[in-house]
Amino acid sequence: MPRVTDPTAPHIALVGATGVVGTTLLRLIEERGFRYRGLDLVASARSAGREVTVEGHSCRVQDVDGFDFAGVDIAFFSAGAGVSRTFVPKAVAQGALVIDNTSAFRMDPGTPLVVPQVNAHVLGTRPESGVVANPNCSTIPLVRLLRPVQERWGIRQVVVSTYQAASGAGYSGVEELRAGARSVLDDPDSAGVTGTFSPSLAFDVIPSIDRLLDDGFTFEEQKMLQESRKILELPHLDVTTTCVRVPVANSHSEAAWIECHEPVDRGELVRLLAGQDEVTVHDLDTVGAFPTPRTAGDPNRVHVGRVRVAAHNPRGFWLWIVADNVRIGAALNALQIAEELTRRGAL
Amino acid sequence: MPRVTDPTAPHIALVGATGVVGTTLLRLIEERGFRYRGLDLVASARSAGREVTVEGHSCRVQDVDGFDFAGVDIAFFSAGAGVSRTFVPKAVAQGALVIDNTSAFRMDPGTPLVVPQVNAHVLGTRPESGVVANPNCSTIPLVRLLRPVQERWGIRQVVVSTYQAASGAGYSGVEELRAGARSVLDDPDSAGVTGTFSPSLAFDVIPSIDRLLDDGFTFEEQKMLQESRKILELPHLDVTTTCVRVPVANSHSEAAWIECHEPVDRGELVRLLAGQDEVTVHDLDTVGAFPTPRTAGDPNRVHVGRVRVAAHNPRGFWLWIVADNVRIGAALNALQIAEELTRRGAL
């Protein structure tokens, strides 16, 4: 049982406990046996008061407005950037170390942006800001694969198109996709259901995620560039992206074209990637094999397939990447940050 | 009425008349008033004998095996590469000019590969082989946009990820998607329905279209490289692609990253693209506007959006392209080839 009486185990709070990331974090804490001394479930007013079962006991969700963070060692925030901007400063002031799943503090110079498999070394001491930021869901699997490639061949350019699932917009996104799909199946001329997505995501693909910036890129696309640079400590890394929502319930996919400074050998590349922590290369032995969001398997691993070097440009190669955006891209990465902080005694 | 008594109008045959491309070709012949003297509907044994209504009259579908092409001026083939390989030589020997929608003859040096908006000039005389090939559905909209870019700035590299609809696999592909989606909506753990697609395309994306080649690319991906080079007459053009099937009924999308030899000005680029025949640029005036398969509008136009130049690499820009794969990518292009041949008297 993860709940222990050990006084050195942290007291944790989950802000956004009823959302898709919060509930997955709870499940992962149980699955991985993350040891904690005490647990508070917290959410915005809309969800406060609900009862959630944790380790067989009913636990009441508390309202973040008015919640007292005193005595909390680690506060996980996954209730949106607005909630984080308002309540993270209070949590830090009251002594909690915050692991923030939102975009609110990622680019703040005093806040480390961490993918434990890539840059755990920045977690040696408690961060200046009191916050460790969890990167964007599409950035995490990408940088886990870029790091060894950069070390081996050096990267000239990364061109990525994403195939992002509805769950990136929370439970309501998945429900809207399902309702819209039913509507279009019943009447092919139906406009589907909109709200979270516009137009409807039912049997459609939408090349627009998060808000549009002045330069014509979306914030989602900018995140993949800026966050990759920060995590990999490569301020001039050239990553350019088109982020697209697809009618898939869960798990993001990415088609990534990576051009290096030197010719790449496919055999060496697949062995290098397969040797990374928690990475499965599907076409290591079976050329052309590939993962898909619904068939990839273990949701706690990054799945790679269709690894191929271009005949006419052997410096460049393609990867097809599938990763559970709620686990790999959010909750699992956040919990692995907490595990790393605990192991290093950096709380 | 397209059927005329004018003896100079061609007698046409549609091989694959009951498939998704064949039926769309019939509809387009009516919509565009393409004049013909006589019409034969032809299909493989499986569909022969069916009755199809053309201009209010019932027309019986004839079996391609045994069909006499004598007297046919133009034979459109869209019944798969196997049928074309078997019956196109006979049609040509019997005097028909063939417009072939399949991959069977595209790379044959004696066969022009034509997108009328790009290289109609190769249609000046009757082709040596008796065949004009219609390119792959994803290649057509792409080269229509690449040509003016190449002429203005010169292209260094094109990196494309596709989002291809179920109708690329015919009516059965669309039906399988719908049946699979119903199955998954009823039971989220259902494996969906497979057959045309594997795994099921329902709420999933599949990075594999057409057969796998020895170099790890799929034939679909190879087509986009080889065909673009042939159509644009640029034998060293660098086009690299990941082709992905998405759970959309009709219309393919492409996220295309195009790197030029010189810096590109966005304003000039959108005006250049908007000035192309039958191209709509959605973000000409509204930055960030975009087409999607279900909302793009006029299916006889190529739709472009999300046109953006990378701030850190002004030689490169992204296009989001949506085009009806059955019309733009097959039937309409084939009919426009026929219109061009008729206009030029090259039959």
Side-chain angles (χ1 to χ4, degrees):
Chain A
M1 301 285 272
R3 186 190 292 266
V4 294
T5 52
D6 179 353
T8 68
H11 185 111
I12 62 179
L14 270 55
V15 182
T18 60
V20 65
V21 175
T23 53
T24 303
L25 196 47
L26 258 181
R27 201 171 309 140
L28 282 165
I29 285 170
E30 297 201 31
E31 274 179 33
R32 297 173 68 88
F34 180 79
R35 299 164 77 249
Y36 60 86
R37 192 176 79 245
L39 170 70
D40 288 301
L41 303 186
V42 186
S44 58
R46 199 160 35 98
S47 304
R50 283 201 219 170
E51 298 282 335
V52 171
T53 303
V54 181
E55 296 195 59
H57 294 86
S58 186
C59 187
R60 199 173 155 281
V61 177
Q62 302 170 69
D63 192 334
V64 65
D65 196 358
F67 179 77
D68 185 359
F69 287 91
V72 170
D73 298 297
I74 303 177
F76 294 93
F77 273 75
S78 56
V83 168
S84 285
R85 271 191 290 268
T86 306
F87 295 101
V88 163
K90 179 185 167 189
V92 170
Q94 293 190 305
L97 179 75
V98 170
I99 298 175
D100 186 33
N101 258 303
T102 79
S103 61
F105 302 99
R106 288 180 191 150
M107 298 313 296
D108 168 34
T111 298
L113 182 63
V114 180
V115 178
Q117 294 83 355
V118 177
N119 63 338
H121 64 272
V122 301
L123 291 176
T125 53
R126 189 185 173 94
E128 205 181 303
S129 66
V131 182
V132 178
N134 206 49
N136 169 267
C137 47
S138 295
T139 307
I140 291 171
L142 183 66
V143 296
R144 284 174 59 173
L145 302 170
L146 290 184
R147 190 191 53 82
V149 171
Q150 164 69 18
E151 285 172 3
R152 174 61 187 85
W153 292 287
I155 294 172
R156 179 192 167 273
Q157 183 184 35
V158 182
V159 181
V160 184
S161 297
T162 70
Y163 301 70
Q164 296 183 229
S167 63
Y171 284 127
S172 62
V174 178
E175 281 315 303
E176 187 177 300
L177 168 61
R178 293 172 59 87
R182 280 195 192 280
S183 159
V184 173
L185 284 171
D186 290 344
D187 170 12
D189 295 325
S190 160
V193 176
T194 59
T196 302
F197 307 116
S198 178
S200 171
L201 187 58
F203 300 103
D204 211 353
V205 293
I206 305 176
S208 177
I209 300 178
D210 213 322
R211 66 182 195 275
L212 188 72
L213 305 177
D214 287 343
D215 65 359
F217 283 77
T218 60
F219 187 37
E220 188 82 355
E221 289 158 357
Q222 186 192 73
K223 289 175 210 165
M224 290 188 71
L225 169 62
Q226 293 188 339
E227 296 181 16
S228 297
R229 287 176 167 181
K230 179 168 176 174
I231 298 161
L232 294 167
E233 298 171 21
L234 296 169
H236 303 292
L237 182 69
D238 186 353
V239 177
T240 192
T241 311
T242 293
C243 288
V244 182
R245 191 76 74 182
V246 295
V248 163
N250 193 46
S251 286
H252 289 355
S253 306
E254 304 180 29
W257 166 253
I258 300 164
E259 235 186 327
C260 294
H261 289 298
E262 290 175 55
V264 173
D265 176 74
R266 184 187 182 279
E268 186 181 351
L269 174 63
V270 292
R271 287 190 302 276
L272 182 72
L273 297 177
Q276 301 303 306
D277 287 343
E278 301 146 75
V279 170
T280 298
V281 176
H282 289 243
D283 53 350
L284 182 64
D285 302 311
T286 311
V287 175
F290 54 83
T292 73
R294 293 193 81 233
T295 65
D298 190 344
N300 296 329
R301 297 178 73 84
V302 173
H303 297 270
V304 182
R306 302 292 326 277
V307 182
R308 69 217 117 105
V309 177
H312 59 282
N313 177 3
R315 290 182 178 79
F317 63 89
W318 282 99
L319 301 180
W320 172 255
I321 308 162
V322 175
D324 186 320
N325 51 303
V326 175
R327 289 187 169 231
I328 296 281
L332 179 59
N333 194 79
L335 187 57
Q336 288 178 321
I337 290 172
E339 289 171 353
E340 195 66 35
L341 286 166
T342 310
R343 186 156 45 236
R344 290 166 180 254
L347 286 178
Chain B
M1 300 285 272
R3 185 189 292 268
V4 294
T5 52
D6 180 354
T8 67
H11 185 111
I12 63 180
L14 270 55
V15 182
T18 60
V20 65
V21 175
T23 53
T24 304
L25 196 45
L26 258 182
R27 201 171 309 139
L28 281 166
I29 285 170
E30 297 202 31
E31 275 179 32
R32 296 173 68 87
F34 180 79
R35 299 164 78 249
Y36 61 86
R37 194 176 77 244
L39 171 71
D40 288 302
L41 303 185
V42 186
S44 58
R46 197 162 35 100
S47 303
R50 283 203 220 168
E51 298 283 335
V52 172
T53 303
V54 181
E55 296 195 60
H57 294 87
S58 185
C59 188
R60 197 172 157 280
V61 178
Q62 302 171 69
D63 192 333
V64 66
D65 196 357
F67 179 76
D68 185 358
F69 287 92
V72 170
D73 298 298
I74 304 176
F76 295 92
F77 273 75
S78 55
V83 168
S84 285
R85 272 190 289 269
T86 306
F87 295 101
V88 163
K90 179 184 166 190
V92 170
Q94 293 191 305
L97 179 75
V98 169
I99 299 175
D100 186 34
N101 258 303
T102 79
S103 61
F105 302 99
R106 287 180 191 150
M107 297 313 296
D108 168 34
T111 298
L113 183 63
V114 180
V115 178
Q117 294 83 354
V118 176
N119 64 338
H121 64 272
V122 302
L123 291 176
T125 53
R126 189 185 173 94
E128 206 180 303
S129 66
V131 183
V132 178
N134 207 47
N136 169 268
C137 49
S138 296
T139 308
I140 291 172
L142 183 66
V143 295
R144 285 175 59 173
L145 302 170
L146 290 183
R147 191 192 52 84
V149 170
Q150 165 68 20
E151 287 173 2
R152 174 62 185 85
W153 292 286
I155 294 171
R156 179 192 168 272
Q157 183 184 36
V158 182
V159 181
V160 185
S161 298
T162 70
Y163 301 70
Q164 296 183 228
S167 63
Y171 284 126
S172 62
V174 178
E175 281 315 303
E176 187 177 299
L177 169 60
R178 293 171 59 86
R182 280 195 193 281
S183 159
V184 173
L185 283 172
D186 290 345
D187 170 12
D189 295 325
S190 160
V193 176
T194 59
T196 302
F197 307 116
S198 179
S200 171
L201 187 57
F203 300 101
D204 211 351
V205 294
I206 305 175
S208 178
I209 300 179
D210 213 324
R211 66 181 194 275
L212 188 72
L213 304 177
D214 288 343
D215 65 0
F217 283 78
T218 60
F219 188 36
E220 188 81 354
E221 290 158 355
Q222 187 192 72
K223 288 174 210 165
M224 288 188 72
L225 170 62
Q226 293 188 340
E227 296 181 17
S228 297
R229 287 176 167 180
K230 179 168 176 175
I231 298 161
L232 294 167
E233 297 170 22
L234 296 168
H236 303 293
L237 183 69
D238 185 353
V239 177
T240 192
T241 311
T242 293
C243 288
V244 181
R245 192 75 73 182
V246 295
V248 163
N250 192 48
S251 287
H252 289 355
S253 306
E254 303 179 31
W257 166 253
I258 301 164
E259 235 187 325
C260 293
H261 290 299
E262 290 174 56
V264 173
D265 175 75
R266 184 188 182 278
E268 187 181 349
L269 174 63
V270 292
R271 286 190 303 274
L272 182 72
L273 298 177
Q276 301 303 306
D277 287 343
E278 300 146 73
V279 170
T280 298
V281 176
H282 289 243
D283 53 350
L284 183 64
D285 302 311
T286 312
V287 175
F290 55 82
T292 74
R294 294 192 82 233
T295 65
D298 189 344
N300 297 328
R301 298 178 73 84
V302 174
H303 296 271
V304 182
R306 303 287 331 274
V307 182
R308 70 219 117 105
V309 177
H312 59 281
N313 177 3
R315 290 182 179 77
F317 63 88
W318 282 100
L319 301 180
W320 172 255
I321 307 163
V322 175
D324 186 320
N325 52 302
V326 176
R327 290 186 168 230
I328 296 280
L332 178 59
N333 194 79
L335 187 57
Q336 287 177 321
I337 290 172
E339 290 170 352
E340 194 67 33
L341 286 165
T342 310
R343 187 158 41 238
R344 290 166 180 255
L347 288 178

